[in-house]
Amino acid sequence: MNSSCAFDRVAVVGTGGYGWHFLCALLATKRLHVRAVTSTTDTQTSLTNQSGLVKQKHTDKQKRIAKLRELGAEIVEYNDPTSEAFAAAFGDIHTVVSAVGLSGVTSQIAMIDGALAAGVRWFIPSEYGVAHYTSTWMPFPSPLAPKTDVDQYLRDHAMPRGLAHTVIYTGMALDYLDPASIGLKLASRSATLVGRGGTPVSFTPAHNVVQLVCDIVQRPHEMMNRTIRFASSTAKMRELIKVATNGEHGERVKIVCVDEAKAKFCELAKRQDPRAFQIYSRLLIEEGLGQINRMNEPLDNAMFPDIDAEPVRRTLERLMEHSEPNVQINPNPAHRTVSAKSVTDGLGRRFRDFNM
C-alpha cells in the first residue's frame, strides 16, 4: 500500500445503489479516509408524484447517511450539481468515485470540472456496465449516449490538465438490475426473448463489482488512465432462459421478433415511457452490444486474483433461492505491476466454456 499512500482520501458521489456498497466496502478496509458526497434532495424521488413514496425514500436516505456516519464516513452534502458545488465537496480529496445512476450521468461533466478545480488527482466515472455503441436503426440518441460524452470529456479535457481517470466495464449485474428488465421473470419461472438469444453477454454480479472497484481504488498507480474490463462470466440469453424456466419451454417462453421490439421501443421512447429502457436492453443484448469485449479487447480478470468471480448461472440460482452471496473485502489486494498482462481468457477455464 505504500504506492497508494498519496491516494488515501476517497470521495464517493451517491449514497444509494452502488454508492452505498462502495462506501461500505471502502470503509471496511480501515485504510482510507472515506467521504460520502450526496445531494440534499433525493433525485430519485422526482420520478414519482406519490408523496408517501417520496417521504419513504427520504427517510431511507437519512438512515443510510446515519449508518455511514456510524461506520466512520465523512458526509458532505451539496444543493445543486454544479462545478462550484462539487469543487467545494471535493476539497482535500485525492480520488473521486462516481456512483450516480443513468439519469445522473450528464452531471458528471460538472463533477469533473469540480474535481479539477479542487485538485483531485483521479476520477472514476459511473460505468459498471457496457460501453455505448451507436445502433444504426435507432432514430434518436440511445439512453447510453451520454456515457460516451463523459468518457471523451475525461480524455480530451481533464487528462491533459492532470486529472487521471479509469473507466470500468463489468457487463450486466442481474442482482443489481431487475432480471425481468432483460426478460427473465424468475418469480413465475418464465421469460420473454427478443430475437434468437444467441449472442454472448457479459455478466458480473453486484458484489463482484463492489470488490473490483474497492480493489482498483487501492491500486492507483496501476489503474490510472486505462479501461478495465472485468466479466465474471459470459453467457447467451437462451442459456439463461434454461436456468430461469428450469429447462422448460413452450408456454413459459414468449419470443418477440426484433422488428416488433424495435417498433415498440420507438413508440414508448417517444412518450418517454420508462418501459422503453427494458426493451432497449433486450435489443442491445440481441445486437451483441451486451458483451464488454465484443471487439476482442482483452479481459482484465487476471489482474484481480482475489475476486472469486460468480458465474451468472449461480447468480440466477441465488436469486431464485433468495440467498445472499458471501462477500469478502480484501484490505490488501494482490499487487500487480503496471505492465501486468491482460488476457483474453481472463475468465479462467472454469467459466470460459460456459454452456448449459
Side-chain angles (χ1 to χ4, degrees), residues 1 3-4 31 211-212 214-223 226 300-308 328-338 340:
M1 288 295 295
S3 63
S4 60
R31 306 171 71 90
Q211 291 171 316
L212 177 68
C214 189
D215 194 325
I216 288 172
V217 167
Q218 296 180 83
R219 296 160 61 184
H221 298 294
E222 294 176 75
M223 302 297 167
R226 66 186 301 169
D300 296 301
N301 293 47
M303 296 184 68
F304 305 95
D306 297 326
I307 298 177
D308 185 13
Q328 298 291 331
I329 298 298
N330 189 351
N332 298 292
H335 183 74
R336 296 294 181 269
T337 64
V338 72

Side-chain angles (χ1 to χ4, degrees), residues 1 4 7 10 22 26 29 32 95-97 122-125 128 165-170 208-230 300 303-304 307 330 333-334:
M1 288 295 295
S4 60
F7 290 83
V10 182
F22 293 162
L26 292 169
T29 68
L32 302 167
T95 304
V96 171
V97 178
W122 188 19
F123 187 89
I124 300 176
Y128 325 119
H165 68 276
T166 303
V167 175
I168 305 170
Y169 295 126
T170 55
N208 281 166
V209 175
V210 174
Q211 291 171 316
L212 177 68
V213 172
C214 189
D215 194 325
I216 288 172
V217 167
Q218 296 180 83
R219 296 160 61 184
H221 298 294
E222 294 176 75
M223 302 297 167
M224 284 180 171
N225 294 327
R226 66 186 301 169
T227 296
I228 298 295
R229 289 179 171 84
F230 181 100
D300 296 301
M303 296 184 68
F304 305 95
I307 298 177
N330 189 351

Side-chain angles (χ1 to χ4, degrees), residues 13-321:
V13 183
T15 58
Y18 272 135
W20 163 260
H21 296 292
F22 293 162
L23 286 161
C24 290
L26 292 169
L27 287 164
T29 68
K30 306 293 185 182
R31 306 171 71 90
L32 302 167
H33 176 90
V34 180
R35 179 181 299 172
V37 177
T38 183
S39 66
T40 53
T41 58
D42 191 339
T43 55
Q44 291 181 338
T45 61
S46 64
L47 299 177
T48 177
N49 292 322
Q50 301 177 36
S51 59
L53 183 57
V54 170
K55 183 177 180 180
Q56 179 62 45
K57 286 187 175 182
H58 179 74
T59 301
D60 290 344
K61 182 175 182 178
Q62 295 307 309
K63 288 180 179 178
R64 289 197 304 270
I65 291 175
K67 182 62 177 179
L68 288 169
R69 281 201 177 99
E70 181 184 324
L71 292 173
E74 178 189 4
I75 308 297
V76 173
E77 295 183 319
Y78 63 91
N79 293 321
D80 299 305
T82 63
S83 58
E84 294 80 9
F86 286 124
F90 297 155
D92 298 323
I93 287 295
H94 305 136
T95 304
V96 171
V97 178
S98 173
V100 296
L102 187 59
S103 62
V105 166
T106 55
S107 70
Q108 292 181 115
I109 299 297
M111 211 180 291
I112 294 165
D113 288 339
L116 284 165
V120 172
R121 302 178 187 178
W122 188 19
F123 187 89
I124 300 176
S126 184
E127 289 285 353
Y128 325 119
V130 297
H132 167 251
Y133 295 96
T134 302
S135 296
T136 56
W137 61 268
M138 195 174 298
F140 35 77
S142 83
L144 300 182
K147 295 170 66 174
T148 299
D149 298 334
V150 172
D151 293 347
Q152 185 171 345
Y153 195 74
L154 282 166
R155 290 193 304 270
D156 298 345
H157 179 72
M159 192 164 69
R161 297 174 60 187
L163 180 61
H165 68 276
T166 303
V167 175
I168 305 170
Y169 295 126
T170 55
M172 297 190 173
L174 289 187
D175 54 349
Y176 183 74
L177 301 172
D178 184 356
S181 66
I182 61 170
L184 301 174
K185 305 167 187 177
L186 303 186
S188 60
R189 299 294 192 271
S190 61
T192 299
L193 175 65
V194 171
R196 301 179 64 182
T199 56
V201 188
S202 302
F203 293 95
T204 303
H207 68 279
N208 281 166
V209 175
V210 174
Q211 291 171 316
L212 177 68
V213 172
C214 189
D215 194 325
I216 288 172
V217 167
Q218 296 180 83
R219 296 160 61 184
H221 298 294
E222 294 176 75
M223 302 297 167
M224 284 180 171
N225 294 327
R226 66 186 301 169
T227 296
I228 298 295
R229 289 179 171 84
F230 181 100
S232 291
S233 59
T234 302
K236 300 174 183 178
M237 280 302 301
R238 59 191 181 206
E239 296 168 343
L240 301 186
I241 285 174
K242 290 182 182 179
V243 178
T245 63
N246 293 324
E248 298 182 23
H249 297 285
E251 295 181 357
R252 287 185 177 271
V253 181
K254 177 183 178 182
I255 299 177
V256 180
C257 74
V258 171
D259 288 342
E260 180 184 347
K262 289 178 180 177
K264 188 64 175 179
F265 165 76
C266 292
E267 174 191 338
L268 294 175
K270 288 177 182 177
R271 301 203 308 259
Q272 296 186 329
D273 189 315
R275 291 176 297 173
F277 189 75
Q278 292 190 3
I279 299 177
Y280 172 73
S281 298
R282 300 173 197 181
L283 286 166
L284 179 147
I285 289 173
E286 181 62 16
E287 197 172 348
L289 305 184
Q291 186 178 15
I292 61 174
N293 59 330
R294 64 186 294 265
M295 305 301 291
N296 294 320
E297 302 95 336
L299 291 174
D300 296 301
N301 293 47
M303 296 184 68
F304 305 95
D306 297 326
I307 298 177
D308 185 13
E310 177 183 85
V312 65
R313 177 172 186 164
R314 175 55 196 150
T315 304
L316 279 176
E317 292 171 345
R318 180 165 53 78
L319 290 172
M320 290 187 286
E321 296 166 357

